[in-house]
Amino acid sequence: MTMQKLSDRNQNLARITAAKQPWDIIVIGGGATGLGIALDATVRGYKTLLLEQADFAKGTSSRSTKLVHGGVRYLAQGDVRLVREASIERGLLYRNAPHLVKDQTFIVPVYTNWDRLKYTIGLKIYDWISGKLSLGRSVFISRKETIERVPGIQTKNLKGGVLYHDGQFDDSRLAINLAQSIWENGGAVINYFEVTGLLKDDQNKTAGVSAKDKETGNSYEFRAKAVVNATGVFVDQILQMDRPGINKSICVSQGVHLVLDKKFYPSSEALMIPETSDGRVLFAVPWHDKVVLGTTDTPVEEASLEPKALEDEISFILETAREYLNTKPTRSDVLSVFAGLRPLAAPQKDDQKTKEISRSHKIIISESNLFTILGGKWTTYRKMGEDMVNRIEKQLHWPHKKPATAHLPIHGFSKHTDWNDPFYFYGSDATVLREQINGTSHEWLSESLKIHPRQIKWAVEYEMARTVEDVLSRRTRALLLDARESQRIAPATANIMANLLGKDEKWKEEQLKSFNHLAEQYILK
C-alpha cells in the first residue's frame, strides 16, 4: 500500500478545513466502532470525517482480551445469531488483516466426564456455526497431550482437554491501521479533536458539529449531512448535547486484565477456563511474548478514559489462575494491569448481571437525525460500520451504495507473517522500517520488549502519534506489557519525539510527568 506521512498535524488539519462543506458523514469517536463506520463510508465514496477527542483506540478499543472471536460464552447464553455474525466477521478479519490476526488454538481443561461431553458437543456446535469461515476443527485431546501442550496446568483429576480455534490480534495496532486505511481511501481522520456541540438546521435536524482542537485550543464548525455518535461508553454525553435530560442509554461494565511473564504459562496454546466462581470465562492468552489473564465483568457507575482496576478484580484473576496453574502468580509477578470499559446496549435490570447483557450492537436515531450506535465488540466492528451506513442511507433517502469492506485489505496487509518477528505487527510496513533501522547504529531502546528508537520516529511520522503515551501504550504496547519498563524508556521516547515535533523542555517535562502518573496505575504495589 502507498506510504503516506501523517506527521504534519497542521497539514492534516488544513486538508480537513479546506474541504468543501458539508461533509457527507461526520463520525464522532475513533475507537473500533467509529473507525469501522468511517472506513465503510469512505470506501463507498462518501466524503467522511472522523473526529477523536483523545487518541485512536485510547479507551476500550486498546484494552481488550486481544481476541477476535465468535464468542463461546454467547453460545452458552443461547445467542446463536450473535455467534454466527461474530464468527463470519472473525473469518473476514483474518483474511483482511493477516499481519495482525492469527489462528490461535485454545484448550479447555476437562476435569469431569460431564464437562468432557458438554464442552466437546458445545465446541462442535461452535465449529458448525462458523461454517466455511471456521479457523479449524475442535477436538478432544487426551490427558497426556493436554499436559504436553499446556505445561504447568493443574493435573489433579484432569481427564484431558478440548482444543478449539479462535482468533487473536493486537487491538490498538488494528485501530491505527484502520485510521491509515481511511486516509488512504480518501477519508479524513484526526485525533485530539473534541466535539463540543451539535449544529442544528432550521428544522432542528442535526447539521454538523462544533469542535475544538485540543492541541491549539482553536474552535471549528464542520457541517455534515449526517452525524454519527460512535463514542462507546461516552455515547450519552453526545446524546445529552442533542437532547438535554434524556435517560441513560447504556450501562457500563469494566473488564480487567493482568499481564505476566510467559514462565507462568509457557505454552503457545491459549487456556480457556469456562466456568469461574462468578460464572464468567477466564482466558490465559499468549501475547507479544507475555501472557494476558482476563477478564472480569464489574458494573461501574461512571465512564472514564482511564478506568482503574479494583482490588477485588485483581484478586479474582490471580486466585482463579492459581487454581489452574502449577506456578502460582502473586501480585509482585504482575508486569502490568489494565482496565477497559464495555458499553452495553441493554438497560440493566436489578437482577441482571452484566455478563448476561447482550453484546450485540444497536442503532438508534433521534428526532434530530443524530445517529447513535450502542454496544458491539471489536470482532464485529466491520459489520457495525456497514449496518450504520446502510441505516443512514435508508433514513435520509440516499441512493444505496454497495458496501465494499468485506474483502478490503487493511493497511499493512501481508500474507507472510512471522509471528516471532518483533516487528510482525507492522505488516508490509516492516520492510521499510527495518531498512531504516539497518541504516542506524542505535541499539534497542528496550531489549526485553524489542522496541527500537526508529519505532518512535515511525510512530510520529507515519502513525499520528502525538504524545509519549500514544507511542508507549498504543503504537508500541510497552505500557500494557511491562509498565515499569515503559517508565524506564519514557525519557528517551520523549527526547526523540520532541526533536521530531519541535517541542521544548517544558513539553518533555509535562509529557514525562503525565506518562509516569499514568503508568503508576498499571503497576501493582
Side-chain angles (χ1 to χ4, degrees):
M1 283 192 175
T2 306
M3 290 298 299
Q4 296 187 40
K5 286 202 173 189
L6 301 175
S7 61
D8 191 334
R9 183 183 175 81
N10 292 331
Q11 190 178 49
N12 295 354
L13 185 56
R15 171 174 159 178
I16 290 169
T17 54
K20 186 179 178 182
Q21 296 196 36
W23 295 82
D24 290 323
I25 298 174
I26 289 178
V27 179
I28 310 170
T33 309
L35 290 163
I37 295 166
L39 182 59
D40 184 280
T42 297
V43 175
R44 289 198 211 194
Y46 291 116
K47 192 167 71 169
T48 305
L49 169 64
L50 181 147
L51 303 173
E52 164 55 45
Q53 68 166 334
D55 186 31
F56 306 110
K58 156 70 177 173
T60 304
S61 297
S62 62
R63 304 155 190 267
S64 72
T65 316
K66 320 308 175 193
L67 301 181
V68 180
H69 61 126
V72 174
R73 71 183 177 91
Y74 308 129
L75 185 61
Q77 295 169 15
D79 197 341
V80 175
R81 186 197 62 78
L82 178 59
V83 175
R84 174 63 178 162
E85 178 181 87
S87 296
I88 291 170
E89 292 302 316
R90 176 193 63 187
L92 293 176
L93 189 50
Y94 178 68
R95 295 178 183 180
N96 295 337
H99 62 299
L100 289 176
V101 182
K102 69 173 182 175
D103 173 9
Q104 174 68 59
T105 51
F106 289 73
I107 291 177
V108 183
V110 171
Y111 292 92
T112 68
N113 289 328
W114 168 244
D115 282 349
R116 171 178 176 169
L117 180 66
K118 180 169 63 173
Y119 298 126
T120 300
I121 293 173
L123 288 164
K124 286 295 181 186
I125 295 171
Y126 192 53
D127 295 345
W128 174 73
I129 291 172
S130 301
K132 292 180 180 178
L133 289 172
S134 169
L135 300 183
R137 293 174 57 198
S138 62
V139 61
F140 181 81
I141 57 176
S142 67
R143 183 180 193 274
K144 181 174 180 290
E145 187 176 353
T146 301
I147 294 169
E148 288 173 353
R149 284 178 172 265
V150 192
I153 189 71
Q154 178 62 255
T155 57
K156 185 179 179 181
N157 297 326
L158 183 69
K159 306 288 185 186
V162 182
L163 181 149
Y164 74 99
H165 297 255
D166 240 327
Q168 195 224 22
F169 80 136
D170 188 310
D171 47 15
S172 73
R173 291 300 314 177
L174 178 57
I176 301 308
N177 286 168
L178 289 173
Q180 290 169 307
S181 298
I182 294 164
W183 194 269
E184 290 162 358
N185 281 281
V189 295
I190 192 163
N191 49 4
Y192 296 101
F193 233 86
E194 182 181 9
V195 169
T196 54
L198 300 176
L199 307 179
K200 301 289 181 71
D201 64 15
D202 294 342
Q203 283 76 46
N204 202 35
K205 299 295 185 184
T206 303
V209 302
S210 54
K212 182 174 75 173
D213 182 344
K214 293 177 76 171
E215 291 198 358
T216 65
N218 294 335
S219 296
Y220 298 84
E221 288 190 350
F222 300 109
R223 299 277 164 180
K225 298 172 186 174
V227 176
V228 178
N229 175 13
T231 53
V233 295
F234 300 106
V235 291
D236 284 324
Q237 293 182 14
I238 305 298
L239 287 169
Q240 287 288 337
M241 293 178 187
D242 180 54
R243 190 176 156 200
I246 193 171
N247 291 334
K248 288 175 66 173
S249 62
I250 61 165
C251 57
V252 180
S253 166
Q254 176 165 291
V256 166
H257 299 83
L258 307 183
V259 179
L260 301 173
D261 188 275
K262 66 178 181 181
K263 70 182 181 183
F264 290 96
Y265 185 72
S267 175
S268 60
E269 327 279 359
L271 179 70
M272 197 269 266
I273 300 167
E275 291 182 11
T276 62
S277 59
D278 77 340
R280 283 187 55 79
V281 299
L282 190 78
F283 292 99
V285 183
W287 189 62
H288 289 301
D289 212 31
K290 301 285 189 288
V291 60
V292 177
L293 299 177
T295 181
T296 56
D297 202 337
T298 307
V300 293
E301 286 297 317
E302 296 295 330
S304 67
L305 275 173
E306 275 300 336
K308 296 179 182 178
L310 304 175
E311 284 300 321
D312 285 351
E313 294 176 301
I314 295 164
S315 298
F316 164 74
I317 294 174
L318 286 173
E319 287 167 8
T320 304
R322 288 182 198 124
E323 292 177 18
Y324 288 85
L325 305 179
N326 284 332
T327 305
K328 313 296 184 188
T330 65
R331 289 177 64 91
S332 61
D333 296 314
V334 175
L335 298 173
S336 184
V337 53
F338 60 94
L341 301 179
R342 305 179 191 93
L344 301 173
Q348 188 177 0
K349 299 174 184 176
D350 293 341
D351 61 345
Q352 192 176 26
K353 293 183 179 179
T354 59
K355 69 183 175 66
E356 295 167 345
I357 298 173
S358 176
R359 294 296 302 280
S360 60
H361 59 279
K362 176 181 174 185
I363 294 171
I364 59 175
I365 306 170
S366 72
E367 290 181 9
S368 72
N369 276 348
L370 172 67
F371 296 85
T372 297
I373 189 161
L374 311 172
K377 59 201 195 82
W378 246 123
T379 305
T380 55
Y381 88 92
R382 191 208 66 83
K383 184 65 164 60
M384 289 190 285
E386 187 175 286
D387 287 352
M388 175 56 85
V389 180
N390 284 343
R391 192 68 177 274
I392 291 170
E393 289 178 335
K394 183 178 179 181
Q395 177 73 13
L396 300 182
H397 308 293
W398 294 356
H400 177 60
K401 295 184 179 182
K402 188 177 179 181
T405 56
H407 306 290
L408 178 75
I410 302 301
H411 179 98
F413 178 94
S414 173
K415 287 185 177 179
H416 307 292
T417 303
D418 176 2
W419 300 103
N420 295 315
D421 179 352
F423 300 143
Y424 80 82
F425 52 85
Y426 290 100
S428 59
D429 290 344
T431 303
V432 183
L433 175 60
R434 201 172 279 108
E435 287 172 358
Q436 292 185 3
I437 289 174
N438 291 339
T440 72
S441 57
H442 294 300
E443 297 181 352
W444 294 110
L445 202 60
S446 170
E447 176 74 36
S448 63
L449 297 179
K450 292 293 183 285
I451 296 173
H452 191 275
R454 278 281 164 170
Q455 288 174 268
I456 314 306
K457 187 173 188 289
W458 186 274
V460 171
E461 292 189 341
Y462 292 98
E463 297 177 344
M464 295 177 268
R466 308 297 297 173
T467 71
V468 169
E469 183 200 336
D470 292 350
V471 171
L472 295 182
S473 181
R474 289 172 292 279
R475 305 310 185 278
T476 69
R477 308 315 304 270
L479 179 60
L480 274 67
L481 293 168
D482 189 335
R484 287 185 174 85
E485 177 70 355
S486 75
Q487 285 183 313
R488 188 188 71 78
I489 65 175
T493 301
N495 281 332
I496 295 168
M497 294 186 73
N499 289 334
L500 292 168
L501 295 170
K503 302 295 185 180
D504 57 16
E505 287 297 321
K506 182 182 179 184
W507 181 87
K508 287 195 287 187
E509 289 173 8
E510 290 173 347
Q511 284 290 306
L512 289 175
K513 182 180 178 182
S514 173
F515 181 77
N516 283 322
H517 176 73
L518 173 66
E520 287 297 319
Q521 298 178 31
Y522 288 66
I523 296 171
L524 290 186
K525 298 293 194 290

